[in-house]
Amino acid sequence: MRMSPFTYVLTPPSVFFFSRGLSASNHRNREDSWFKSLFVRKVDPRKDAHSHLLTKNEESNLYKIQFHNVKPECLDAYNQLCEETLPSIHNDKYYPCELVGTWNTWYGEQDQAVHMWRYRGGYPALTEVMSKLRQNKEFMKYREERGKMLLSRRNQLLLEFSFWNEPIPRKGPNIYELRSYQLRPGTMIEWGNYWARAIGYRQHNSEAVGGFFSQIGNLYMVHHLWAYKDLEAREATRNAAWQHEGWDEVVYYTVPLIQHMDSRIMIPMKASPLQ
């Protein structure tokens, strides 16, 4: 049987609607992509790291904070060992470093010691100190004895915010609060902008000791160190901040930047320059 020159090929309806739907879908995707592009936040090119914008001078002061979790039965012996060894390093000009403070945690993580060191000269000073201490037999013996008393330890390298005080020795007695904030990545500049103004609300009782942000270790971590006469003074000082116009705004805008926060109340060891 011969076919007519006018032969029709019937397309199933399902294929027709699929083809039409695919075309419409592609069109909508292009429209959505164009529409969303109007609201995409463009990143301005930067020529400086965020740390350069936040710190006084990256080459001037580098800080190391150490967290040592001590076996409960060894805490007294650990404290005595630290009090015998750490001041000798602090007082020896051969080492370009200073012991900022050394504490035991009172409220927060128990049986814990916290030490903070300052290296004037930045990373070169840190490298020099570590190299020299490896040649110090007394220090190596201290490390060996200390290791027998610890459950775990960790540290961070920090820079100080330009708008905070530099920690200097204090007479006691005081308690110290270390408030640690894990920020959402990318929010450090925003945090710094708000706290550059907020720190003015927290200077009336000389409670501000130092403010730092991490460079190595847990990143996007901020530490604020405060000093109070006692827990009652802490409560009164913190409540008084709410009487200053603008403090509520700082809290409102900085809380969403935080992923996690922690507070330690600490008691200085006898050898601590911050008493």
Side-chain angles (χ1 to χ4, degrees):
M1 177 179 178
R2 296 181 61 186
M3 296 187 63
S4 165
F6 302 100
T7 303
Y8 295 92
V9 178
L10 297 179
T11 302
S14 60
V15 175
F16 173 77
F17 286 117
F18 173 78
S19 175
R20 183 178 179 182
L22 183 61
S23 176
S25 175
N26 288 338
H27 181 67
R28 284 196 302 271
N29 287 341
R30 287 195 297 270
E31 286 186 341
D32 289 346
S33 177
W34 175 84
F35 184 76
K36 290 177 181 177
S37 69
L38 297 177
F39 300 95
V40 171
R41 183 180 179 183
K42 296 182 179 179
V43 179
D44 294 330
R46 303 203 62 86
K47 296 183 179 180
D48 283 327
H50 286 171
S51 59
H52 293 169
L53 302 176
L54 292 168
T55 192
K56 298 171 184 175
N57 184 341
E58 191 170 359
E59 296 181 355
S60 59
N61 289 334
L62 179 70
Y63 292 82
K64 178 171 68 176
I65 190 168
Q66 300 170 300
F67 300 94
H68 290 174
N69 292 317
V70 185
K71 297 176 182 178
E73 67 274 15
C74 297
L75 188 59
D76 289 340
Y78 172 90
N79 287 346
Q80 183 177 351
L81 183 66
C82 290
E83 290 165 2
E84 292 172 353
T85 307
L86 301 187
S88 63
I89 300 171
H90 169 75
N91 294 323
D92 193 338
K93 300 302 181 184
Y94 179 66
Y95 303 102
C97 66
E98 304 162 9
L99 182 63
V100 175
T102 179
W103 304 268
N104 287 129
T105 300
W106 185 22
Y107 289 105
E109 198 161 353
Q110 296 294 284
D111 303 312
Q112 185 181 73
V114 180
H115 311 289
M116 179 175 284
W117 294 86
R118 175 169 48 221
Y119 300 87
R120 295 195 183 274
Y123 291 106
L126 172 67
T127 302
E128 180 182 347
V129 170
M130 294 298 101
S131 177
K132 289 179 176 179
L133 286 177
R134 282 193 288 269
Q135 309 303 319
N136 185 326
K137 294 181 179 179
E138 181 181 344
F139 179 77
M140 297 307 292
K141 183 179 179 180
Y142 154 78
R143 286 195 61 178
E144 182 180 355
E145 291 300 315
R146 184 190 68 183
K148 301 174 184 177
M149 305 177 186
L150 297 182
L151 294 170
S152 65
R153 60 192 179 100
R154 62 185 176 90
N155 59 24
Q156 292 177 331
L157 294 181
L158 314 171
L159 296 176
E160 58 186 336
F161 285 109
S162 60
F163 46 84
W164 270 78
N165 313 328
E166 180 176 314
I168 58 175
R170 291 190 180 214
K171 295 181 179 180
N174 293 296
I175 62 171
Y176 290 82
E177 181 177 19
L178 182 66
R179 296 178 70 88
S180 302
Y181 305 89
Q182 180 67 60
L183 302 187
R184 292 190 293 107
T187 61
M188 187 66 73
I189 292 292
E190 192 173 356
W191 178 275
N193 287 338
Y194 282 114
W195 267 96
R197 179 160 52 98
I199 192 62
Y201 306 136
R202 298 297 308 275
Q203 299 277 16
H204 299 284
N205 293 322
S206 301
E207 67 268 27
V209 178
F212 315 90
F213 60 98
S214 62
Q215 285 290 281
I216 297 178
N218 289 352
L219 298 180
Y220 292 100
M221 178 71 75
V222 170
H223 299 287
H224 291 174
L225 184 61
W226 309 93
Y228 306 100
K229 290 299 180 184
D230 49 38
L231 290 175
E232 290 79 10
R234 171 186 177 273
E235 182 180 18
T237 300
R238 289 177 56 81
N239 287 340
W242 290 95
Q243 307 306 313
H244 298 288
E245 184 178 356
W247 175 252
D248 57 342
E249 181 181 344
V250 170
V251 174
Y252 179 83
Y253 284 109
T254 55
V255 165
L257 309 181
I258 302 170
Q259 286 186 331
H260 174 75
M261 59 187 295
D262 189 44
S263 171
R264 291 174 176 84
I265 301 296
M266 308 183 301
I267 304 296
M269 293 188 193
K270 294 178 182 178
S272 178
L274 287 170
Q275 285 294 317

